[in-house]
Amino acid sequence: MLFSEKMARVPQPRRADLWSEYRVLCTALSLQVRRKKEGRNPSEEELIPLKNAAKRANDILREQGMEISFFPENESFFDALVTELTAIMNTPSDKD
């Protein structure tokens, strides 16, 4: 299940907290563009806010009895995050 689908199932006010973390996580998309343009990997300094947001989002999901969506401790965290965010962007919303 995509993170966006899980987020939709979380009741307020925790959904608002997840939304805040999602906004931080979405900065990975602009970082991905910059990374490709500059031909480099993201620095640890750039990854820290993403990893922290992922951990907080996972905590909220666990609190709600859901499986976590992100694995910030994995080496492939950034690539997996970009893949998840791209899938969310390419999935039509029920409200579209």
Side-chain angles (χ1 to χ4, degrees):
M1 179 183 306
L2 291 173
F3 177 72
S4 57
E5 296 167 321
K6 293 176 186 176
M7 190 166 44
R9 294 179 180 193
V10 173
Q12 292 292 1
R14 295 304 276 164
R15 184 181 312 155
D17 297 332
L18 267 183
W19 181 253
S20 293
E21 302 309 334
Y22 178 67
R23 288 179 47 200
V24 173
L25 293 168
C26 283
T27 63
L29 295 172
S30 61
L31 178 56
Q32 173 71 351
V33 170
R34 192 170 347 126
R35 175 183 97 125
K36 283 185 176 183
K37 184 178 179 181
E38 296 171 0
R40 66 175 180 85
N41 289 325
S43 69
E44 190 59 33
E45 184 178 287
E46 292 170 316
L47 291 175
I48 288 172
L50 298 173
K51 288 180 177 183
N52 289 339
K55 288 175 188 174
R56 289 188 297 268
N58 284 342
D59 289 345
I60 295 168
L61 292 175
R62 272 193 210 100
E63 170 189 298
Q64 298 298 316
M66 296 181 194
E67 289 185 33
I68 63 172
S69 289
F70 308 106
F71 301 90
E73 65 283 347
N74 289 357
E75 274 194 42
S76 62
F77 164 71
F78 182 76
D79 293 330
L81 175 59
V82 169
T83 299
E84 175 81 6
L85 294 172
T86 301
I88 291 170
M89 278 189 341
N90 292 331
T91 301
S93 170
D94 292 339
K95 297 178 183 177
D96 285 349

